[in-house]
């Protein structure tokens, strides 16, 4: 591979501008060397976009075309900003500012507030819910826990779309938002919330942006000072920009066009917060002279995973779908995605836990496995199943890594050892930063061997082990680094909330998984009503749910399992159907609007009568390979061996003729299923999993001829 997205947190610094370009593919190199004017990078999942833009900045700095202090790189999470700073530092581009929109705005607000407004900046309100509850009480409107969260979300949406309380009802109706309460009541609570903040001298995160925008609009001298400081802007995840963030970016830019934006409309999954891909999709309209570069070489996922991701988007509709990127995997082939159907949710969780345990036994690290679901409430059954299976796990979105008591204790011990320098007898005769860190942490009770089982004790051990691995990575990237250097690195990471990887299976919502990747991903609970979720009613809302599944699929590097349960609880009625987004992709399903076996068009998903059963022993089938054959792997086969060999020979010839891998014609499982069924007409052949309409049209005549004992093209083998 010429590029990769899966690498250490640290890398050796390039020793020249040209060295920065080494290892980039042609499109990434084009991004890195196009330093002037507006640039739009359309970057698919796993295509190395962060690599491209950090190397772009580093190349500009190392070649003398960009001054480090004049560059502001903006992204959406503290973690992403921390990672970007780390990469830039490793590439020799220290001094470049890499921040979130809120972090950059808050820094400017603190600096310019005394001059623009006077006095101290109001205190920052980090959690709104308590204030929203109090605002509701002032309005004599009682909100339950769910309503409180949803009303808070509506207030956040209103503020990032620059909607004042009086205009909220009309704006929410126009946007088609499903309000948790009467819109007039929400407007009332919103107004009371704003009054409450002002009375107590506090601002929230949205106010940080609003106030910065207000200062830059009103004070041209301050706006010009910022523009003199920052000459060049880079915006990552541009499909997630809100109208308020775009307004702030416009004020930073002024009349200039030294802007590079990076995004993928097919990964827009935060529209409920006010994010919109319109700014990305309209970039060429706004900047007709813009350079546009497409990154479609996927270095993350296998061809099998990429094929499923592309197939998922091929059924998408709407403006974002019109700009979808067709990914091309750069990796060797891997296993097919597994589709698994279960009787109920506990059975699904237990099945997933068993599969995870098998993967770990086969050598896949627990930290390289994730279970992703639509809503956080789905996590509990998987927590229980993994605990029962003795598999360590971590909940993403729970307590922040650097706020954990064991992590704070470990960093305190490292800081003490760093202060004592060479006077600490514990560190005498120890060579290397990794050995010193292990010695210091061992003195606090940590051991190099993990405790048995799972639970809180194992979770605490995993947290400290993550610090040890981070120290070892740090030492490899910076020979000669000291404990004091490591403590500085940890302080910077804590400030940016850039946590190291904990070695436990990750449980996370699909939204929380954005920007992450694992060797093995389990997408669970994929039923209609959950994905797309019940309250996704408009076409736009349903399409965002499809994009959410696409994001989930593209998190997987190698192993991908998609599963669903037919009922919620054991013994319940099997009333659920697999997600409509899987129609035409999972075995035995037909895509909406595609012709069926007899040419009849299918307008909607077929209803399922129940689980697929083995035609030999009657057991419920869950694995993709078994579903192709309609029998268990270990049940006896009635395959025609001679037919199978002829099909293999034909496939090899087709693949060579078309310049494709053999499996792109038909997989061996599909050929086995054909040899077992020995179809005599197109309708029978089309019912075999793996024989879609396209392959039926292309290869159907040949395959039926071979099954009939003829040569492809209709000739009798005796006449050949």
């Amino acid at each position: 591979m010429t590029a990769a997205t899966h690498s250490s947190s640290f890398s050796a610094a390039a020793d020249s501008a040209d060295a920065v370009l080494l290892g980039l593919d042609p499109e990434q190199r084009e991004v890195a060397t196009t330093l002037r004017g507006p640039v739009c990078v359309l970057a698919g999942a796993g295509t190395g976009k962060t690599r491209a833009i950090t190397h772009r900045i580093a190349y500009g700095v190392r070649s003398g075309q960009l001054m480090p202090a004049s560059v502001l790189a903006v992204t959406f999470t503290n973690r992403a900003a921390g990672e970007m700073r780390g990469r830039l530092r490793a590439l020799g581009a220290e001094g470049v500012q890499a921040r979130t929109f809120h972090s950059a705005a808050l820094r400017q607000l603190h600096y310019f507030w005394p001059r623009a407004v006077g006095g101290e900046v109001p205190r920052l309100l980090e959690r709104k819910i308590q204030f929203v509850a109090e605002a509701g009480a002032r309005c004599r409107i009682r909100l339950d826990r769910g309503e409180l969260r949803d009303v808070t979300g509506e207030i956040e949406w209103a503020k990032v779309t620059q909607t004042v309380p009086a205009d909220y009802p009309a704006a929410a109706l126009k946007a088609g938002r499903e309000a948790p309460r009467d819109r007039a009541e929400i407007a009332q609570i919103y107004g009371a919330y704003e009054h409450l903040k002002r009375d107590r001298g506090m601002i929230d995160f949205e106010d940080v942006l609003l106030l910065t925008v207000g200062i830059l609009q009103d004070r041209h001298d301050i706006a010009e000072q910022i523009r003199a400081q920052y000459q060049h802007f880079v915006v990552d995840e541009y499909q997630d920009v809100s109208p308020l963030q775009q307004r702030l970016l416009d004020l930073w830019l002024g009349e200039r066009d030294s802007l590079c934006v990076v995004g993928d409309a097919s990964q827009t999954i935060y529209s409920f917060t006010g994010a919109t891909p319109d700014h990305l999709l309209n970039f060429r309209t706004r900047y007709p002279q813009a350079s546009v570069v497409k990154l479609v070489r996927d270095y993350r996922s296998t061809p099998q995973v990429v094929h499923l991701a592309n197939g998922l988007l091929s059924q998408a509709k709407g403006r974002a779908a019109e700009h979808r990127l067709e990914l091309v995997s750069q990796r060797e082939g891997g296993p097919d995605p597994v589709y698994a159907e279960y009787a109920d949710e506990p059975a699904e969780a237990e099945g997933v836990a068993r599969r995870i345990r098998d993967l770990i036994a086969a050598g896949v690290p627990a930290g390289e496995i994730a279970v992703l679901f639509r809503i956080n409430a789905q996590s509990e059954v998987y927590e229980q199943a993994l605990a029962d299976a003795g598999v360590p796990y971590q909940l993403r979105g729970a307590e922040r890594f650097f706020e954990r008591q064991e992590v704070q204790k470990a960093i305190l011990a490292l800081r003490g050892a760093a202060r004592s320098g060479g006077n600490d007898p514990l560190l005498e005769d120890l060579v290397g930063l990794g050995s010193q860190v292990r010695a210091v942490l061992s003195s606090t009770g940590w051991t190099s061997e993990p405790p048995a089982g799972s639970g809180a004790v194992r979770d605490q051990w995993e947290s400290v082990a993550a610090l040890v691995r981070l120290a070892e990575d740090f030492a490899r990237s910076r020979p000669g680094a000291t404990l004091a250097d490591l403590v500085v690195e940890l302080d910077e990471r804590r400030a940016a909330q850039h946590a190291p990887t904990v070695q436990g299976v990750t449980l996370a919502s699909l939204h929380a998984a954005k920007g992450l990747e694992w060797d093995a991903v389990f997408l669970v609970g994929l039923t209609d009503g959950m994905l797309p979720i019940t309250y996704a009613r408009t076409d736009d809302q349903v399409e965002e749910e499809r994009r959410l599944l696409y994001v989930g699929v593209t998190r997987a590097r190698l192993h991908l399992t998609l599963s669903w349960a037919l009922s919620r609880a054991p013994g319940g009625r099997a009333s659920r159907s697999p997600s409509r987004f899987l129609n035409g992709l999972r075995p035995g399903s037909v895509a909406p609007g595609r012709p069926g076996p007899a040419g009849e068009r299918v307008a909607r998903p077929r209803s399922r009568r129940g689980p697929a059963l083995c035609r030999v022993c009657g057991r419920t089938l869950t694995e993709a390979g078994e579903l192709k054959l309609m029998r268990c792997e270990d049940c006896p086969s009635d395959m025609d061996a001679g037919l199978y060999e002829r099909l293999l020979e034909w496939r090899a010839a087709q693949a060579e003729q078309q310049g494709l891998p053999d499996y792109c014609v038909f997989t061996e499982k599909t050929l086995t299923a054909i040899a077992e069924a020995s179809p005599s007409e197109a309708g029978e052949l089309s019912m075999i999993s793996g024989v879609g309409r396209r392959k039926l049209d292309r290869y159907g005549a040949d395959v039926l001829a071979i099954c009939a004992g003829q040569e492809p093209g209709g000739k009798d083998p005796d006449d050949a």
Side-chain angles (χ1 to χ4, degrees):
M1 296 190 296
T2 57
T5 59
H6 182 212
S7 60
S8 168
S9 301
F10 307 98
S11 57
D15 57 9
S16 68
D18 288 340
V20 171
L21 302 177
L22 295 177
L24 300 182
D25 68 30
E27 294 79 23
Q28 291 171 343
R29 181 181 284 256
E30 184 179 354
V31 172
T33 55
T34 307
L35 295 172
R36 298 300 173 193
V39 178
C40 179
V41 183
L42 301 176
T47 57
K49 67 179 178 66
T50 305
R51 180 183 178 86
I53 58 176
T54 51
H55 282 246
R56 179 181 190 269
I57 295 169
Y59 178 72
V61 170
R62 299 297 294 272
S63 65
Q65 298 180 66
L66 298 176
M67 295 296 294
S70 73
V71 180
L72 178 58
V74 188
T75 187
F76 278 78
T77 66
N78 285 321
R79 179 186 177 280
E83 180 183 351
M84 193 177 289
R85 283 195 295 273
R87 292 198 191 197
L88 289 169
R89 190 168 61 235
L91 290 167
E94 295 92 345
V96 172
Q97 291 292 315
R99 297 181 175 276
T100 65
F101 271 103
H102 286 90
S103 171
L106 185 60
R107 193 164 180 256
Q108 293 171 14
L109 197 63
H110 274 287
Y111 187 82
F112 291 110
W113 184 274
R115 176 170 145 198
V117 181
E120 293 289 323
V121 178
R123 288 180 298 130
L124 186 62
L125 175 65
E126 296 195 4
R127 287 179 57 82
K128 297 184 183 71
I129 282 187
Q130 186 176 348
F131 270 46
V132 174
E134 192 170 340
R138 284 191 174 189
C139 299
R140 298 185 179 178
I141 299 171
R142 186 167 183 168
L143 302 170
D144 63 32
R145 189 172 180 178
E147 288 175 326
L148 194 55
R149 182 190 64 241
D150 293 342
V151 169
T152 301
E154 288 302 293
I155 291 173
E156 290 174 347
W157 172 82
K159 298 187 76 166
V160 300
T161 55
Q162 302 172 79
T163 303
V164 298
D167 294 340
Y168 168 79
L173 182 64
K174 182 179 179 181
R177 295 186 68 81
E178 291 285 335
R181 296 285 298 235
D182 180 81
R183 293 184 180 90
E185 288 184 336
I186 295 176
Q188 193 178 355
I189 296 169
Y190 177 14
Y193 166 79
E194 291 298 309
H195 282 297
L196 193 58
K197 283 196 290 100
R198 281 195 293 272
D199 290 346
R200 297 185 184 174
M202 302 194 78
I203 57 175
D204 60 26
F205 281 105
E206 290 72 38
D207 290 329
V208 170
L209 301 183
L210 286 163
L211 289 168
T212 306
V213 164
I215 288 174
L216 297 184
Q217 286 179 159
D218 295 342
R219 293 289 301 267
H220 296 291
D221 57 328
I222 293 175
E224 287 305 318
Q225 186 173 340
I226 289 176
R227 290 167 193 158
Q229 167 75 50
Y230 296 118
Q231 304 288 324
H232 190 84
F233 296 86
V234 177
V235 184
D236 194 12
E237 304 287 5
Y238 195 55
Q239 76 279 352
D240 290 330
V241 166
S242 71
L244 179 56
Q245 289 165 332
Q246 180 63 47
R247 180 63 186 138
L248 178 59
L249 179 61
D250 290 340
L251 288 165
W252 284 340
L253 275 166
E255 298 301 317
R256 300 165 300 169
D257 63 2
S258 186
L259 170 66
C260 174
V261 300
V262 189
D264 178 8
S266 296
Q267 296 189 68
T268 305
I269 59 172
Y270 295 109
S271 67
F272 63 93
T273 67
T276 170
D278 289 348
H279 305 298
L280 176 66
L281 298 177
N282 293 336
F283 195 81
R284 282 292 298 274
T285 303
R286 184 172 184 181
Y287 299 104
Q289 76 280 25
S291 301
V292 178
V293 184
K294 292 184 179 180
L295 302 183
V296 296
R297 302 176 196 243
D298 188 321
Y299 297 97
R300 176 188 299 161
S301 305
T302 62
Q304 288 79 1
V305 173
V306 167
H307 178 71
L308 175 56
N310 286 337
L312 191 59
L313 285 190
S314 70
Q315 300 176 15
K317 303 170 185 174
R319 192 174 179 216
E322 293 170 4
H323 294 79
R324 64 178 175 267
L325 299 168
E326 186 87 7
L327 299 178
V328 182
S329 176
Q330 305 298 297
R331 294 190 54 170
E332 293 182 358
D336 286 334
V338 173
Y339 297 86
E341 182 173 274
Y342 296 91
D344 52 65
E345 288 181 6
E348 183 181 7
E350 289 164 11
V352 167
R354 282 195 302 273
R355 173 69 174 144
I356 288 173
R357 194 169 54 190
D358 291 345
L359 286 172
I360 293 173
V364 180
E368 288 295 348
I369 302 173
V371 179
L372 307 181
F373 31 75
R374 176 62 179 83
I375 60 174
N376 287 318
Q378 293 172 273
S379 75
E380 185 178 358
V381 67
Y382 292 94
E383 293 176 54
Q384 185 62 55
L386 291 173
D388 290 345
V391 175
Y393 66 86
Q394 58 168 331
L395 271 173
R396 184 163 183 83
E399 184 183 24
R400 289 181 173 180
F401 179 84
F402 288 105
E403 293 173 2
R404 298 175 189 173
Q405 187 175 357
E406 65 273 16
V407 172
Q408 293 178 347
K409 179 181 176 183
I411 293 176
L412 189 63
L414 292 171
R415 181 172 283 112
R419 284 202 194 101
S420 65
N423 300 320
D424 191 337
L426 182 68
L427 304 181
E428 286 181 7
D429 303 324
L430 288 178
V431 179
L433 182 59
S435 298
Q436 293 175 348
V437 168
R438 282 191 292 274
V440 171
L441 297 181
S442 294
S443 71
T444 68
W446 184 79
T447 62
S448 58
E449 291 298 317
S454 58
V457 173
R458 178 61 183 254
D459 291 345
Q460 291 164 7
W461 184 90
E462 293 286 359
S463 296
V464 181
L467 285 178
V468 175
R469 287 190 297 275
L470 176 67
E472 291 169 344
D473 269 356
F474 186 67
R476 278 193 292 272
S477 70
R478 301 187 196 181
T482 65
L483 275 174
D485 296 328
L486 176 64
V487 169
V488 171
E489 173 70 21
L490 291 172
D491 287 343
E492 290 179 357
R493 281 175 167 256
R494 177 164 54 184
Q497 286 302 323
H498 182 197
T501 302
V502 175
Q503 283 301 314
V505 173
T506 298
L507 298 180
S509 70
L510 287 163
H511 282 103
K514 179 75 168 63
L516 303 175
E517 58 187 82
W518 296 269
D519 284 344
V521 169
F522 291 79
L523 301 176
V524 300
L526 301 182
T527 59
D528 258 358
M530 186 56 74
L531 198 72
I533 204 154
T534 307
Y535 53 74
R537 295 189 176 93
T538 68
D539 289 344
D540 286 346
Q541 289 168 342
V542 170
E543 285 306 312
E544 180 148 338
E545 295 287 300
R546 187 194 306 277
R547 293 194 295 270
L548 194 55
L549 180 55
Y550 173 79
V551 166
V553 168
T554 54
R555 300 310 94 196
R557 299 191 193 104
L558 180 61
H559 304 280
L560 177 63
T561 299
L562 305 94
S563 64
W564 57 91
L566 297 174
S567 68
R568 186 182 66 81
R573 189 164 63 89
S575 58
R576 295 175 172 177
S577 297
S579 171
R580 71 190 74 165
F581 299 145
L582 300 181
N583 289 326
L585 302 174
R586 63 182 176 83
S589 66
V590 177
R594 295 277 184 87
E600 179 183 354
R601 295 193 69 80
V602 180
R604 58 177 182 268
R606 296 182 300 175
S607 61
R608 292 184 60 86
R609 295 171 184 263
L613 303 178
C614 173
R615 56 189 169 83
V616 180
C617 70
R619 185 180 70 82
T620 299
L621 303 177
T622 59
E623 301 292 330
E626 295 178 338
L627 289 166
K628 279 182 181 288
L629 300 174
M630 289 308 293
R631 64 170 175 83
C632 304
E633 290 278 6
D634 52 0
C635 279
S637 169
D638 52 0
M639 181 179 71
D640 182 332
L643 173 57
Y644 180 68
E645 290 301 323
R646 294 195 299 275
L647 288 168
L648 281 176
E649 291 174 7
W650 166 83
R651 182 184 72 162
Q654 287 288 326
E656 183 178 1
Q657 180 183 336
Q658 298 172 53
L660 297 170
D662 288 358
Y663 65 79
C664 287
V665 179
F666 284 120
T667 65
E668 291 183 9
K669 276 288 193 304
T670 300
L671 291 186
T672 300
I674 293 171
E676 289 185 353
S678 190
S680 60
E681 52 93 20
E684 293 177 5
L685 179 58
S686 70
M687 296 302 292
I688 294 173
S689 177
V691 184
R693 169 55 55 181
R694 185 176 59 83
K695 291 192 176 183
L696 184 65
D697 291 343
R698 187 165 194 173
Y699 304 124
D702 280 3
V703 171
L704 290 172
I706 295 170
C707 291
Q710 299 175 338
E711 287 292 316
K715 290 187 291 185
D716 190 293
D718 294 334
D719 298 332

